[in-house]
Amino acid sequence: MRLLGAVSEGSGAVNEDGCGWLGTADDVRRSELLAAHAEKLRDTIKALAARNYPAQFPNALDYVVLFLPAESLFSAALEGDQNLIVWAAERHIMLATPASLIALLRAAVLSWKQHEQTVNAREIAAAAELLFNRVAKFTEHFERIRTGLARARR
């Protein structure tokens, strides 16, 4: 398993600059601004999905993580488009906020540890099988020596 490094591009990714919905009391205007914010995030997701990063790297994860630097950006986007998470997941993009990114990275670490343990267990099993076969062969040779000594005694 391989985790891709952080990609920082001037792609116009969603940021806190366009947070006009925070200061408006007009519900209609607020809804419009939230929808525009969600659409901007949707465009960023489309552009990221079009790059198809998993296909560019052998053994890469199936999903690319799109980091949103503030929880408010994420919740505002969901207010503007409630299907955004599912829509992004269908395109193999996971949306992450500071809190969810930490959990995601911890899960990746745990997965890597389990993978390493599985590889180690397989290596131990292979070494144990080799040792068993060698001890069995040694026992066969030892039995032949015993049989030969018994014949020589008669």
Side-chain angles (χ1 to χ4, degrees), residues 2-96:
R2 182 176 172 185
L3 185 64
L4 303 178
V7 177
S8 177
E9 300 177 14
S11 62
V14 177
N15 57 37
E16 293 184 31
D17 295 341
C19 294
W21 69 83
L22 291 174
T24 185
D26 180 12
D27 288 342
V28 174
R29 180 69 180 139
R30 184 174 188 280
S31 294
E32 290 171 357
L33 291 170
L34 288 170
H37 170 65
E39 188 59 35
K40 185 175 180 183
L41 182 56
R42 191 178 274 259
D43 290 343
T44 301
I45 292 166
K46 283 180 196 173
L48 190 56
R51 291 185 184 106
N52 198 12
Y53 286 122
Q56 296 178 29
F57 301 94
N59 302 322
L61 299 174
D62 293 339
Y63 282 80
V64 174
V65 175
L66 174 59
F67 179 71
L68 299 170
E71 303 286 336
S72 60
L73 295 172
F74 182 63
S75 61
L78 291 180
E79 271 189 72
D81 183 353
Q82 295 176 353
N83 296 320
L84 194 61
I85 294 174
V86 173
W87 185 84
E90 289 170 350
R91 283 146 188 80
H92 296 271
I93 306 294
M94 289 189 339
L95 304 176

Side-chain angles (χ1 to χ4, degrees), residues 109-128:
V109 167
L110 179 61
S111 176
W112 284 333
K113 284 181 181 178
Q114 289 176 343
H115 175 73
E116 288 175 9
Q117 288 174 349
T118 300
V119 169
N120 289 341
R122 287 181 183 154
E123 290 174 3
I124 290 168

